[in-house]
Amino acid sequence: MVADRRGPAVEDEQAREALAEYGSPADHEVTIPSRSDAARTVRRLTRLVVIHQWGLSPQLSEVAVLLASELVSNAVLHTGASRFGLRITRTRGRIKVELRDPSRGLPCMLPVRPTDIGGRGLFLVDKLSDRWGADLLPIGKYVWFELRVIDR
């Protein structure tokens, strides 16, 4: 399979289209349909917030985008939800990405072997984030991760 290598202008335009359709997850929780393109939409919105709204580094954006994508993939594959909520917040020294779904089943990190084809999502979240977890709600849960930001 050949990787899709679109230029920054195309990526930015697609991110702006996602922003126009769903709103900014930095301003309020946005609702994303649980479809095959959900991870792509979340990657675009996360990148737009981290780089363009907050002016943070592309390196931090890459990690945030990867981990947000893993949370979305888990929600789409394991919760049976028709939609989920995405919220991205920034406090002094941290950003937090939260994904809300209607399932009360908690995420479970499984052992990962080098020969495994899948199942590395939470392993990546655990290794690359500074903190992660899940908070139960009366209906559903938030699964979240935090990344440290060096404030200037």
Side-chain angles (χ1 to χ4, degrees):
M1 179 166 66
V2 176
D4 185 9
R5 301 269 184 226
R6 298 178 188 195
V10 173
E11 288 288 326
D12 289 347
E13 180 59 30
Q14 292 170 335
R16 282 191 290 277
E17 289 171 6
L19 182 68
E21 184 172 351
Y22 299 106
S24 173
D27 296 337
H28 56 85
E29 182 179 294
V30 298
T31 302
I32 310 287
S34 183
R35 302 185 308 226
S36 60
D37 64 346
R40 182 181 323 129
T41 299
V42 167
R43 284 192 299 269
R44 288 176 178 153
L45 290 171
T46 302
R47 181 176 178 275
L48 186 105
V49 167
V50 173
I51 291 179
H52 296 290
Q53 280 189 259
W54 293 339
L56 299 174
S57 74
Q59 295 83 3
L60 181 69
S61 172
E62 289 292 321
V63 175
V65 164
L66 172 65
L67 300 185
S69 181
E70 294 298 339
L71 293 188
V72 171
S73 295
N74 282 348
V76 169
L77 289 172
H78 301 296
T79 68
S82 62
R83 65 183 73 71
F84 54 87
L86 172 68
R87 183 170 56 189
I88 306 173
T89 55
R90 181 176 181 192
T91 57
R92 184 166 178 82
R94 297 197 175 275
I95 65 168
K96 185 175 189 178
V97 176
E98 300 171 281
L99 198 75
R100 182 183 51 78
D101 68 65
S103 169
R104 287 184 51 87
L106 293 174
C108 177
M109 189 167 57
L110 301 173
V112 177
R113 297 182 304 262
T115 56
D116 290 343
I117 293 172
R120 289 184 171 84
L122 286 179
F123 175 79
L124 290 172
V125 171
D126 185 62
K127 293 300 177 195
L128 298 176
S129 70
D130 291 297
R131 291 184 346 137
W132 74 277
D135 299 326
L136 286 174
L137 301 168
I139 298 175
K141 68 181 171 300
Y142 276 109
V143 180
W144 54 269
F145 66 84
E146 291 181 346
L147 296 172
R148 193 169 310 137
V149 175
I150 299 172
D151 290 317
R152 298 174 204 185

